Amino acid sequence: MVWRSLKRAARRRRERAGVLERAYRSVFLCPDGEIVLADLAAECGIYQAPPVNLEPRAGGYLDGRKALYARILSMIRIPPEEHAALQEAARLEMLPEFETDKEY
């Protein structure tokens, strides 16, 4: 198997940004991609304040996770109202598990 790469998908340098943005959008702006994006947001803590007593090494790790998620957001360029909906979905991912939906 030969993995596709940006340089194989767009041989001309000026075409690469558009090809890459379309690839990110096709992956994340679909029903399954939205679920993955909300899960990633919850896992990396992008919408949470860091713990108060965070050690420098752990803080750097957390910053790296958030930076990667921010890159994904910058590539898919969603409008503010969709970003608000994504924040809501990520917050729902972080809620504790209940036995039934009635417990919400």
Side-chain angles (χ1 to χ4, degrees), residues 95-104:
L95 288 176
E97 293 291 323
F98 296 109
E99 290 299 317
T100 66
D101 288 342
K102 292 178 183 178
E103 294 181 55
Y104 279 116

Side-chain angles (χ1 to χ4, degrees), residues 4-88:
R4 295 186 66 203
S5 69
L6 183 57
K7 289 185 179 178
R8 286 186 179 133
R11 298 218 182 262
R12 293 189 180 122
R13 188 173 299 189
R14 67 177 182 268
E15 297 171 352
R16 291 180 185 157
V19 168
L20 191 58
E21 183 180 333
R22 282 190 300 279
Y24 269 81
R25 292 177 67 82
S26 72
V27 168
F28 290 107
L29 298 181
C30 65
D32 287 340
E34 290 174 2
I35 293 169
V36 170
L37 204 53
D39 178 66
L40 288 173
E43 284 297 313
C44 78
I46 192 87
Y47 303 118
Q48 295 175 321
V52 175
N53 296 329
L54 192 63
E55 294 184 18
R57 186 178 185 128
Y61 180 73
L62 184 60
D63 289 345
R65 292 171 67 163
K66 289 181 177 185
L68 182 57
Y69 188 81
R71 168 145 170 90
I72 294 169
L73 285 181
S74 73
M75 294 301 292
I76 63 173
R77 299 184 197 192
I78 57 176
E81 60 274 1
E82 286 185 36
H83 190 246
L86 173 56
Q87 285 179 318
E88 175 74 18

